[in-house]
Amino acid sequence: LEYEYGDVGLVNLALLAPLGHLLQMPVLDFASGAFEFNYRYAERDRYLGQTYADSGGSIFYVTPSLLLRLPFLSGGPSIRLAVQCPLGDRYLYGQQHEGFVWSTGLLYQF
């Protein structure tokens, strides 16, 4: 369709803390909490050689998440639950509006 996405730059800063240690409750050693600050800048997209006005711009997010280690598998796999929360979308170009993004996934640290 000759649609080209603009270049994107991402910056992420995250803090992960084991809940059992943080709350001094060993029963929670299977869980960790995380908090991220995310920034995204994107150039405008292009369609048929022209820039697409309602694309690109800058946005900040905060992303709290919970990691639950799976007890029946060795090696540290976890289920990750997170929600990415936009901190406003006024620096996005054109008529763009960001909403909350809920996600879940399998995390394996190595």
Side-chain angles (χ1 to χ4, degrees), residues 83-98:
V83 58
Q84 189 175 48
C85 312
L87 297 178
D89 52 18
R90 71 182 204 178
Y91 296 107
L92 295 175
Y93 303 139
Q95 300 296 315
Q96 298 181 74
H97 303 287
E98 291 284 316

Side-chain angles (χ1 to χ4, degrees), residues 9-20:
L10 304 170
V11 177
N12 299 299
L13 177 64
L15 175 65
L16 174 68
L19 294 181

Side-chain angles (χ1 to χ4, degrees), residues 38-50:
N38 314 110
Y39 171 76
R40 181 188 77 204
Y41 170 76
E43 293 179 342
R44 292 186 192 269
D45 299 341
R46 300 182 66 76
Y47 177 64
L48 296 175
Q50 302 294 317

Side-chain angles (χ1 to χ4, degrees), residues 14-23 28-29 31-35 65-67:
L15 175 65
L16 174 68
L19 294 181
H21 177 74
L22 187 66
L23 301 174
L28 295 177
D29 282 346
S32 295
F35 193 80
S65 62
L66 180 65
L67 282 77

